[in-house]
Amino acid sequence: MAVVLHSSNSHPLTVLPPIVSSYNERIRPLLDAVDRLRNLQVMKEGIQLPTIVVVGDQSSGKSSVLESLAGISLPRGQGICTRVPLIMRLQDHSSPEPELYLEFNEKKVKTDESNIAFAINAATDEIAGRQKGISNTPLTLVVKKQGVPDLTMVDLPGITRVAVQGQPENIYEQISCMIMEYIKPEESIILNVLSATVDFATCESIRMSQTVDRTGQRTLAVVTKADVLPDGLLEKVNADDVNIGLGYVCVRNRINDESYEEARSKEAELFDTHPLLSKIDKSIVGIPVLSEKLVQIQAKIVAKCLPNIVNNINQKLKTNVAELNKMPKHFSSIADAMTTFMQIMGSAKESLRKTMLRGEYDEFPDENRMHSSARFVEMLNRFSAELKEKAETCRRARNFLEEEIHVLEEAKGICLPNFLPQSAFLTILQRNVDEIAGQPLTFMISVWDYIEEIVVIILKKHSENYPMLQAGAQRAARNLIAKSKERAISRVMEMVEMEKLSDYTCDPEYITRWNTLMQQEPVFLTALEKAEHQVYLEGIGETYIVHMRQLKNYVGQAFDLKMRMVAYWNIVLRRLVDSMGMFMLFCVKNLVNRDLEVGILTELFEPQGGGIERMLEESPSVAAKREKLERGVKLLKESVDILSNIMDRIAVVSG
C-alpha cells in the first residue's frame, strides 16, 4: 500500500513508495536460504554469500539509516557503537506484534523494541568484552515487523583513525581489516553511508570501497544529514566525483524523540519544499526509496549469485569429502584396530601372492620393480652366471694340475698304485666351495632386501589411510624380515657346508661326463711328451702345460682327479643354484602365507609392546584437522539441503 502524507493544511504533499516491496513475497525464500547459509557460517568454508555491507566513517549516520529501515532504536553514544559485525535480518511480518531476537555464540535471545539497544550492548559485551575493543565474531539481529523491507545487511564498525581510552592503539587497522574482509568479495554490495557535511572524496569509507570496487558498480551511497548542510548537495550527487555506480539516495534521519512515522513525514516534506533539496530528483531521496532500491539490488544479486553458490558449495563439499577420506582413519577401540588390521593384512597378502607367487602384476602394470616373479628369475639367473664366473676366475688363477698333484702327494699312503684317494678329492672340493661360498650368501641377502622392499611398499599401499597402523606394520614387517633373513643366511651356510661334507650325486650324468673327459687323456699325454706349450681340453679350454715337464709324477692320477672334479663341479654349481631357487620360493611362500601376518600381529598386539596403544593415539593437529573437515562437511551438506528446493525461485525473481 502507498503511504499518503499530509501537511498541516491537509493538502497532499507526496506519495511515497511502499517500504514493503512487491519483491518481498518472491525474494523472501531466497533470502531465507542465504540467511540460513550465513547462520551455518559457510563463509568460513570459503563460500561467499551475496551481502549488503554497510560502511561509513564514524558519526556518518550509519545507525540512524539502519534504524529508519528497521523501525527500531539501535545503540548510540560516543565513539564506536558497533563493535562487532551486526547482521540485520529484516522480515515483513503479518502479525501486528513485532518479533525481535538476537543470535550469537549459539544462543538465541529474545527481546523487544524498548530493550533492543540494551540487548545488543549486552551481547556485544559478551562477544567483544566490556572495553571498547572490536571483534570479528558476528551478532545477528532478526527483526520481524510489519512494514519493514525484506533485507539482510551487515553493519560494520564506523571507521576511526584515533584510538580513544579503552581502545587498542591499532583500532584503525583492526576496523580496516574487518571492513575489507566483508567488502572485497564480488558478491558484496557496499552501502556507503556519507554525511552531507563532508567532502565525499575525503571519506575513508569511499577510499576503502574504491580499493575493491574501482568502477563503483557494486556501491550504493546513502547521503545523511541532508537537512544539516543542503547547500551544494545537488551538485555533489550529480557530479559523482567518487564513482558511485549504483547511485545516491539522500535521506533525513530521525531527530531526537521523533517517531519513525513523524521522521518519514518530515523527510518527505523536506525534499518537497526545501528550496535546494526539492531540486533533487525524487527517485533518489527518502528512506522509502532507499528501501526499494536495496530490495531490488538484493534480489538481483541473490538471483545472480545463487547458481554460483550452489556450484561452489558442491565443489567445496566434494573437496572436503575427498580430503576427509584421505585423512588417517581413527580407531575408537582395540577391536576396531584389530578388525582393520585383519582387513589390511588380507588385502596385502593377496597383493603379495599375486606379485610374488603367481606372477600377476595388474596392480602395478607400469612399475617393473614390482613384477616380483620376473625379478626373482633375473636374480637367480644373475646368481648362476656370477657363480660360474667366480669359479672360472678361481680356476684360471691356478696352473693346470699343479694343485691336484700337490694334494695327491700329501694324500699318498700305503695302498695300491694309481688308487685315487677320496681325501684328495674332498680337499680340492672343499677349496673350490670355499672360493665361491660368498656368492650364495650375497644372493640370499639381495633376495631378502628385495622382499623387504616389496612387502613395505604393499603394506604402505594398503594402510595409507591408517598412518599409526602403517608405521607399526612396516616396523614389524622389517623386524620380521630381518629375523627371516638371518635364518635364511644360516640355512644357506648349511647348504654350502653340506657341499664340502662329501662328494655325492645320484646324477648319472657324472659318470657319462667323466668318461667323456677322460678320453682326452691320450691327447694331453702326447702334447706333454712332445713338450708342447699348450693344449685344448674339453671342460678346461685352452690351457698351458709347460710347467708340467717338472711335475711328471702323479700326472695320470692328477688328470683323473681333475676330470672327476670338472664333471662333479658342474653338478655342485647347478645344485647350489637349484637349491637357492627352491629355498627362495619356499621362504617367500611361508612369509606371505603365514609368517608375515603372524609376525606383525604378534609385535603390534603383544601387551608389553604397546603397539596397539600407539595405534589408538592421534596427534592434536590431525584430530583438529579431522574435526574441522567433519564440521565443514556437515554444514555443507546442510547447505545443499537448504538449496535443493530453492533453485526454481531464481527464474521467477529474475523474470
Side-chain angles (χ1 to χ4, degrees):
M1 61 179 180
V3 180
V4 181
L5 299 181
H6 297 271
S7 66
S8 58
N9 58 10
S10 298
H11 292 301
L13 296 176
T14 187
V15 178
L16 299 180
I19 289 182
V20 182
S21 169
S22 61
Y23 276 85
N24 284 9
E25 187 175 335
R26 290 181 289 168
I27 194 65
R28 186 69 259 165
L30 295 178
L31 294 185
D32 285 341
V34 173
D35 287 339
R36 290 173 66 187
L37 296 181
R38 200 186 315 278
N39 285 344
L40 286 174
Q41 299 183 346
V42 296
M43 297 178 77
K44 289 186 177 180
E45 294 296 317
I47 307 298
Q48 297 301 331
L49 300 177
T51 306
I52 297 176
V53 184
V54 186
V55 298
D57 292 4
Q58 189 172 319
S59 302
S60 62
K62 283 193 307 97
S63 296
S64 297
V65 171
L66 296 174
E67 284 181 341
S68 298
L69 290 169
I72 59 172
S73 297
L74 297 174
R76 291 175 176 271
Q78 295 295 321
I80 300 175
C81 299
T82 304
R83 298 193 290 124
V84 299
L86 179 63
I87 302 173
M88 294 185 62
R89 294 176 57 193
L90 309 182
Q91 298 182 24
D92 181 34
H93 201 39
S94 58
S95 172
E97 292 299 321
E99 182 182 345
L100 288 79
Y101 55 87
L102 296 172
E103 295 176 337
F104 63 98
N105 292 345
E106 300 183 353
K107 294 192 301 184
K108 182 177 180 178
V109 179
K110 289 189 175 183
T111 184
D112 53 42
E113 290 186 85
S114 59
N115 293 302
I116 186 61
F118 173 80
I120 291 175
N121 282 332
T124 299
D125 288 345
E126 185 173 331
I127 295 171
R130 295 186 178 275
Q131 300 301 316
K132 296 182 179 180
I134 66 171
S135 170
N136 207 3
T137 301
L139 167 64
T140 299
L141 167 62
V142 179
V143 179
K144 298 181 179 180
K145 186 177 180 181
Q146 209 171 49
V148 301
D150 273 4
L151 285 173
T152 299
M153 299 170 289
V154 180
D155 182 28
L156 298 178
I159 303 167
T160 180
R161 283 192 171 275
V162 181
V164 299
Q165 187 175 4
Q167 291 178 343
E169 290 297 324
N170 66 339
I171 187 67
Y172 169 75
E173 287 76 12
Q174 289 187 29
I175 294 174
S176 297
C177 288
M178 184 188 298
I179 291 174
M180 294 301 289
E181 178 183 337
Y182 275 87
I183 68 175
K184 186 176 181 180
E186 291 292 328
E187 295 82 0
S188 294
I189 297 297
I190 306 168
L191 182 59
N192 210 319
V193 181
L194 309 170
S195 173
T197 61
V198 302
D199 180 3
F200 296 167
T202 64
C203 291
E204 187 69 14
S205 62
I206 286 291
R207 186 193 67 80
M208 287 187 181
S209 62
Q210 286 180 334
T211 302
V212 297
D213 183 29
R214 190 169 298 277
T215 62
Q217 62 182 352
R218 53 188 182 89
T219 301
L220 173 67
V222 181
V223 183
T224 64
K225 305 179 184 180
D227 53 330
V228 177
L229 189 62
D231 188 28
L233 183 55
L234 175 61
E235 290 74 15
K236 280 185 177 181
V237 297
N238 285 339
D240 188 21
D241 293 331
V242 289
N243 291 332
I244 304 297
L246 296 178
Y248 293 82
V249 178
C250 302
V251 301
R252 173 197 178 274
N253 290 327
R254 187 168 64 101
I255 299 174
N256 299 327
D257 295 329
E258 291 176 348
S259 68
Y260 291 104
E261 291 76 13
E262 290 172 340
R264 296 289 66 77
S265 176
K266 290 183 179 181
E267 179 185 58
E269 182 178 0
L270 175 68
F271 287 109
D272 270 352
T273 62
H274 191 281
L276 295 177
L277 299 179
S278 62
K279 296 179 181 180
I280 302 176
D281 192 290
K282 295 300 181 288
S283 65
I284 62 168
V285 297
I287 289 294
V289 169
L290 174 62
S291 171
E292 189 75 12
K293 278 184 174 287
L294 288 174
V295 169
Q296 293 182 15
I297 290 171
Q298 182 177 244
K300 290 179 180 178
I301 189 67
V302 169
K304 176 184 176 182
C305 293
L306 208 54
N308 284 336
I309 293 174
V310 173
N311 290 335
N312 291 340
I313 286 177
N314 285 329
Q315 185 58 45
K316 182 64 176 178
L317 176 60
K318 182 179 178 181
T319 301
N320 278 17
V321 169
E323 191 170 354
L324 186 60
N325 290 336
K326 291 180 181 178
M327 283 286 292
K329 298 300 185 291
H330 182 55
F331 300 119
S332 57
S333 65
I334 293 179
D336 186 20
M338 184 69 173
T339 300
T340 302
F341 168 79
M342 297 307 294
Q343 292 172 347
I344 290 173
M345 285 308 305
S347 57
K349 284 170 62 177
E350 179 58 23
S351 291
L352 288 170
R353 289 190 187 102
K354 290 168 69 175
T355 59
M356 287 188 167
L357 298 178
R358 299 203 298 264
E360 301 170 8
Y361 50 85
D362 53 285
E363 290 186 31
F364 307 93
D366 300 320
E367 300 177 49
N368 291 346
R369 185 67 177 167
M370 299 299 295
H371 304 169
S372 298
S373 292
R375 302 293 81 77
F376 284 144
V377 172
E378 288 178 357
M379 295 170 74
L380 197 61
N381 290 340
R382 186 164 56 250
F383 166 62
S384 177
E386 290 174 352
L387 193 64
K388 292 177 181 178
E389 177 63 26
K390 178 68 175 178
E392 182 63 20
T393 300
C394 293
R395 184 193 67 77
R396 288 196 297 265
R398 296 188 293 269
N399 289 327
F400 182 64
L401 297 186
E402 193 172 67
E403 180 183 25
E404 285 76 8
I405 291 175
H406 176 73
V407 168
L408 287 169
E409 287 179 341
E410 296 302 314
K412 62 187 176 183
I414 301 174
C415 59
L416 294 173
N418 292 326
F419 182 79
L420 189 63
Q422 185 185 26
S423 61
F425 189 86
L426 287 178
T427 299
I428 300 296
L429 175 62
Q430 290 167 1
R431 289 179 181 178
N432 288 350
V433 171
D434 284 338
E435 288 174 345
I436 53 91
Q439 303 303 117
L441 295 179
T442 301
F443 167 72
M444 192 51 60
I445 290 172
S446 66
V447 165
W448 278 101
D449 287 345
Y450 175 72
I451 291 173
E452 178 179 340
E453 176 187 344
I454 301 304
V455 167
V456 168
I457 288 174
I458 288 179
L459 281 176
K460 184 177 181 181
K461 173 190 174 184
H462 289 281
S463 61
E464 59 185 356
N465 289 330
Y466 305 88
M468 298 307 296
L469 177 58
Q470 184 181 76
Q474 290 183 26
R475 182 174 58 253
R478 285 192 170 97
N479 291 340
L480 172 66
I481 290 174
K483 295 174 183 176
S484 299
K485 184 193 293 186
E486 289 180 6
R487 290 195 298 268
I489 289 174
S490 297
R491 178 66 178 134
V492 168
M493 292 175 65
E494 289 176 354
M495 291 181 184
V496 172
E497 288 301 313
M498 283 191 296
E499 293 297 341
K500 294 162 58 177
L501 182 64
S502 178
D503 50 340
Y504 171 77
T505 181
C506 64
D507 189 344
E509 181 185 338
Y510 167 70
I511 295 296
T512 302
R513 181 63 172 163
W514 172 66
N515 286 328
T516 299
L517 294 174
M518 286 301 294
Q519 291 175 8
Q520 303 178 96
E521 184 177 17
V523 175
F524 164 69
L525 294 176
T526 300
L528 187 64
E529 187 67 29
K530 293 180 178 181
E532 294 180 1
H533 287 77
Q534 60 187 35
V535 64
Y536 176 82
L537 298 172
E538 182 182 348
I540 303 295
E542 198 74 31
T543 184
Y544 285 94
I545 59 173
V546 176
H547 60 284
M548 296 299 300
R549 295 171 186 172
Q550 290 81 30
L551 300 172
K552 292 187 178 182
N553 295 332
Y554 302 104
V555 167
Q557 283 184 300
F559 189 87
D560 186 3
L561 178 59
K562 184 70 173 179
M563 294 306 126
R564 288 179 183 272
M565 183 56 65
V566 170
Y568 184 66
W569 188 241
N570 287 334
I571 293 175
V572 170
L573 295 182
R574 187 165 59 246
R575 189 160 57 202
L576 278 175
V577 173
D578 291 344
S579 298
M580 291 297 105
M582 297 299 291
F583 183 57
M584 176 178 65
L585 293 178
F586 176 76
C587 290
V588 171
K589 180 181 178 181
N590 284 345
L591 177 74
V592 173
N593 291 336
R594 182 192 64 195
D595 298 344
L596 187 64
E597 183 174 359
V598 174
I600 295 178
L601 188 66
T602 301
E603 179 159 335
L604 287 181
F605 292 89
E606 60 183 5
Q608 66 273 23
I612 186 60
E613 284 75 13
R614 289 195 300 269
M615 287 165 53
L616 296 178
E617 297 173 355
E618 187 170 50
S619 70
S621 60
V622 172
K625 183 178 180 182
R626 182 194 308 281
E627 182 180 357
K628 180 181 178 182
L629 285 172
E630 288 176 343
R631 185 171 59 249
V633 168
K634 180 181 177 182
L635 75 86
L636 288 169
K637 285 183 177 179
E638 290 181 27
S639 302
V640 171
D641 292 339
I642 290 170
L643 294 170
S644 61
N645 296 319
I646 205 67
M647 288 304 294
D648 58 339
R649 300 273 185 172
I650 297 175
V652 176
V653 175
S654 300

